[in-house]
Amino acid sequence: MTIGHVDHGKSTLLGRLLMEKGVVPHEEIARYERQGALIGKASFKYAWVLDRSEESRSRGLTLDLAYADFATRNRKVHLIDAPGHRDFVRSMITGTTGADAALLVVDVAEGVMPQTREHAQLASAMGLRQVIVALNKIDRVGYDPKRITAAASAVREFLVPFRFDRVDVIPVSAWEGENLTSRSGSMAWYHGRTLEDAIDNLDTRPAAGPGPLRLPAMDVLSVDGVGTVVIGRVERGVLHEDMEVAIEPTGKIGTVKSIEIHGQGVDKAEAGETVGAALRGLARNEVSRGDVLGPIDDPAVEVDSFVVRVAITADIGNAGLGWTPTLHCHTASVPVRLTEILARVDPTSGEEASGTRPSLANGDVARVRFVPLKPLVVEGSDAGPALSRFALRLGRVTVGAGSCIEITPHVKETVAGATSHAGFSYKHAKVGAAARKKKEKEAAENRDIHGRPIDRKGKR
Ligand code: GDP
């Protein structure tokens, strides 16, 4: 997952790296250079590699992120780039959910800037544990070891409070292609890793554990001749053809008619794969972004409230109980109300402090409870990060991030009048809804045209 302050060279670095790895042909870069020269923007020849995918996104499926795959000596790398100009933070939330590491691009001359801080904070709050810092534009400082070493120490120091498990700082020039996949004589003093080596040496996350299917809908399309198609990433479990899926929080049910990955039909999709799934039995408006598909016998769970650990990263004044930011978690965005501040957490030690204050302010880390103001599916982080990491926003400003610790499931009515957890009794819930409808219908039939109850007993 790539992050960093605007103009520090993220797009240039990715474009150049992909060219050096043979993912993007040299001719394409030369073409961008010619086109750029015509409009006085030759310096964007690498950055346009990603614009190309931006373009394809706007034409095709509206995914939030640009992806690219390449291989290092030891592993396959799946690069996720969140477009810089369009709602970056929100894209980052969807993107980091599956990432093993952050690639943080920092301009060696400018050093840490506001977005460097914001992105690092978010990456940390959302549970990313490894960071590679690409200390970029070292050509601009003449490959001067003194300046580069000083800047590297400053970035390391800046990252200490975030307590990442692992931080590599790699000096590079994205523009000159220096120290991305190989080194030339310009920095003979440097004996450390190239960017590719650093990526090669990351710890990989254990494969997504087994467990019931969880597929948050990113987008829903209505395709001629195919019907309702849900686009999203399988975060856990397996999606297969002919499977019956329950859609929460609506409780609707559909059957998987067909599955596509990158335009190819497949009969199943596993965790980590982004798919288009055509569903039978569901209209386009019966499933929407933020809904989560799961197996009908173990569907995703709608919550009444949930407890989180959250870090506040922007000035929100003093936000007391009743504060209502918007929660962005997996593909959902829902307003939530702060209803309890349970404990404060020391941001550097991670320990819970005794005593609470009645409000939250910039820089606070706390354990709190939220109540969603619209139906919402989230999971505790023990089920993995994908449906538990979140960011909080007020308007277009990100004001905090964190992870859900514990949920209180929404309780749906059942026929017998007994209650049961929504997640484990969709059938009851369905029957419950049907029973409710029947009752409403009967009640309507038992009223006269003025809405007054008809006393049938009395008439008998
Ligand atoms: P982004 O906003 O982080 O994606 O930054 P861009 O990749 O668009 O780069 C911003 C500007 O910095 C562009 O004019 C690039 O040509 C320039 N740039 C990027 N990397 C380097 C580098 O390594 N050296 C020099 N000299 N310029 C660079």
Coordinates of all heavy atoms in Angstrom, one line a residue, residues 4-13 43-44 47 105 136-140 172-176, ligand 1:
G4 N 1.9 8.8 1.2 CA 2.9 9.8 1.3 C 2.3 11.2 0.9 O 1.2 11.3 0.3
H5 N 3.0 12.2 1.3 CA 2.6 13.6 1.1 C 2.6 13.9 -0.4 O 3.4 13.4 -1.2 CB 3.5 14.6 1.8 CG 3.1 16.0 1.8 ND1 2.0 16.4 2.6 CD2 3.4 17.1 1.1 CE1 1.8 17.7 2.5 NE2 2.6 18.1 1.5
V6 N 1.6 14.7 -0.8 CA 1.5 15.0 -2.3 C 2.8 15.6 -2.8 O 3.5 16.4 -2.1 CB 0.3 16.0 -2.5 CG1 0.5 17.3 -1.8 CG2 0.0 16.2 -4.0
D7 N 3.1 15.2 -4.0 CA 4.3 15.7 -4.7 C 5.6 15.2 -4.2 O 6.7 15.6 -4.7 CB 4.4 17.3 -4.7 CG 3.5 17.9 -5.8 OD1 3.1 17.1 -6.7 OD2 3.2 19.1 -5.7
H8 N 5.6 14.2 -3.3 CA 6.9 13.7 -2.8 C 7.4 12.6 -3.8 O 8.5 12.1 -3.6 CB 6.7 13.1 -1.4 CG 6.8 14.3 -0.4 ND1 7.1 14.0 0.9 CD2 6.7 15.6 -0.5 CE1 7.2 15.2 1.6 NE2 6.9 16.2 0.7
G9 N 6.5 12.3 -4.8 CA 7.0 11.4 -5.9 C 6.5 10.0 -5.9 O 7.0 9.1 -6.5
K10 N 5.3 9.8 -5.3 CA 4.7 8.5 -5.2 C 4.4 7.9 -6.6 O 4.8 6.8 -6.9 CB 3.4 8.6 -4.4 CG 2.7 7.3 -4.0 CD 1.7 7.5 -3.0 CE 0.5 8.4 -3.4 NZ -0.6 7.6 -4.0
S11 N 3.7 8.7 -7.4 CA 3.4 8.2 -8.8 C 4.6 8.0 -9.6 O 4.7 7.0 -10.3 CB 2.5 9.2 -9.5 OG 1.6 9.8 -8.6
T12 N 5.6 8.9 -9.5 CA 6.8 8.7 -10.3 C 7.5 7.4 -9.9 O 7.9 6.6 -10.7 CB 7.7 9.9 -10.1 OG1 7.0 11.1 -10.4 CG2 9.0 9.8 -10.9
L13 N 7.6 7.2 -8.6 CA 8.2 6.0 -8.1 C 7.6 4.7 -8.5 O 8.2 3.8 -9.0 CB 8.3 6.1 -6.5 CG 9.1 4.9 -5.9 CD1 9.9 5.5 -4.7 CD2 8.2 3.9 -5.4
S43 N 7.9 15.8 -17.3 CA 8.3 15.2 -16.0 C 7.2 14.3 -15.4 O 7.4 13.6 -14.4 CB 8.6 16.3 -14.9 OG 7.3 16.9 -14.5
F44 N 6.1 14.2 -16.1 CA 5.1 13.3 -15.6 C 5.1 11.9 -16.4 O 4.1 11.1 -16.2 CB 3.7 13.9 -15.8 CG 3.5 15.0 -14.7 CD1 3.5 16.3 -15.0 CD2 3.2 14.6 -13.4 CE1 3.4 17.3 -14.0 CE2 3.0 15.5 -12.4 CZ 3.1 16.9 -12.7
A47 N 4.6 9.2 -13.8 CA 3.4 9.4 -13.0 C 2.2 9.0 -13.8 O 1.2 8.5 -13.3 CB 3.3 10.8 -12.5
V105 N 6.4 7.3 0.9 CA 7.3 8.1 0.1 C 7.5 9.4 0.7 O 6.6 10.2 1.0 CB 6.8 8.3 -1.4 CG1 7.8 9.0 -2.2 CG2 6.5 6.9 -2.0
N136 N 12.9 9.8 -1.1 CA 13.0 10.0 -2.5 C 13.7 11.4 -2.9 O 13.9 12.2 -2.1 CB 11.5 10.0 -3.1 CG 11.5 10.0 -4.6 OD1 12.4 9.5 -5.2 ND2 10.4 10.5 -5.2
K137 N 14.0 11.5 -4.2 CA 14.6 12.7 -4.8 C 16.0 12.9 -4.3 O 16.4 14.1 -4.1 CB 13.7 13.9 -4.6 CG 12.2 13.7 -5.0 CD 11.5 15.0 -5.2 CE 10.0 14.8 -5.3 NZ 9.2 16.0 -5.5
I138 N 16.8 11.9 -4.0 CA 18.1 12.1 -3.5 C 19.0 12.7 -4.6 O 20.1 13.2 -4.2 CB 18.7 10.8 -2.9 CG1 18.7 9.6 -4.0 CG2 18.0 10.3 -1.7 CD1 19.5 8.4 -3.5
D139 N 18.6 12.6 -5.8 CA 19.4 13.3 -6.9 C 19.4 14.8 -6.6 O 20.3 15.5 -6.9 CB 18.8 13.0 -8.3 CG 17.3 13.4 -8.4 OD1 16.5 12.9 -7.6 OD2 16.9 14.1 -9.3
R140 N 18.3 15.3 -6.1 CA 18.1 16.8 -5.8 C 19.1 17.3 -4.7 O 19.4 18.4 -4.7 CB 16.7 17.1 -5.3 CG 15.7 17.0 -6.3 CD 15.0 18.4 -6.5 NE 14.1 18.4 -7.6 CZ 12.8 18.3 -7.5 NH1 12.2 18.3 -6.3 NH2 12.0 18.3 -8.5
V172 N 16.3 6.7 -2.4 CA 16.1 6.4 -3.8 C 15.9 7.7 -4.6 O 15.6 8.8 -4.0 CB 14.8 5.6 -4.0 CG1 14.8 4.2 -3.3 CG2 13.5 6.3 -3.6
S173 N 16.1 7.6 -5.9 CA 15.7 8.6 -6.8 C 14.8 8.0 -7.8 O 15.2 7.2 -8.6 CB 16.9 9.3 -7.5 OG 16.3 10.0 -8.6
A174 N 13.5 8.3 -7.6 CA 12.5 7.7 -8.5 C 12.7 8.1 -9.9 O 12.6 7.4 -10.9 CB 11.1 8.1 -8.1
W175 N 13.1 9.4 -10.1 CA 13.3 10.0 -11.4 C 14.4 9.4 -12.1 O 14.3 9.0 -13.3 CB 13.4 11.5 -11.3 CG 13.5 12.1 -12.6 CD1 14.6 12.6 -13.2 CD2 12.5 12.3 -13.5 NE1 14.4 13.1 -14.4 CE2 13.0 12.9 -14.7 CE3 11.1 12.0 -13.5 CZ2 12.3 13.3 -15.8 CZ3 10.3 12.4 -14.6 CH2 10.9 13.0 -15.8
E176 N 15.6 9.2 -11.4 CA 16.8 8.7 -12.1 C 16.8 7.1 -12.0 O 17.7 6.5 -12.6 CB 18.0 9.2 -11.4 CG 18.2 10.7 -11.4 CD 18.5 11.2 -12.8 OE1 18.8 10.5 -13.7 OE2 18.3 12.5 -13.0
Ligands
GDP1 P1 3.0 12.4 -6.1 O1 2.1 13.5 -5.9 O2 3.6 12.0 -4.8 O3 2.5 11.2 -6.8 O4 4.3 13.0 -6.9 P2 4.7 12.9 -8.4 O5 5.2 11.5 -8.7 O6 3.6 13.4 -9.3 O7 6.0 13.8 -8.4 C1 5.9 15.2 -8.1 C2 7.0 15.9 -8.9 O8 8.3 15.5 -8.3 C3 7.1 15.6 -10.4 O9 7.4 16.8 -11.0 C4 8.2 14.6 -10.5 O10 8.8 14.6 -11.7 C5 9.1 15.0 -9.4 N1 9.9 13.9 -8.9 C6 9.4 12.7 -8.5 N2 10.5 11.9 -8.1 C7 11.6 12.5 -8.3 C8 13.0 12.3 -8.1 O11 13.4 11.2 -7.7 N3 13.9 13.2 -8.4 C9 13.5 14.5 -8.9 N4 14.4 15.3 -9.2 N5 12.2 14.8 -9.1 C10 11.3 13.8 -8.8

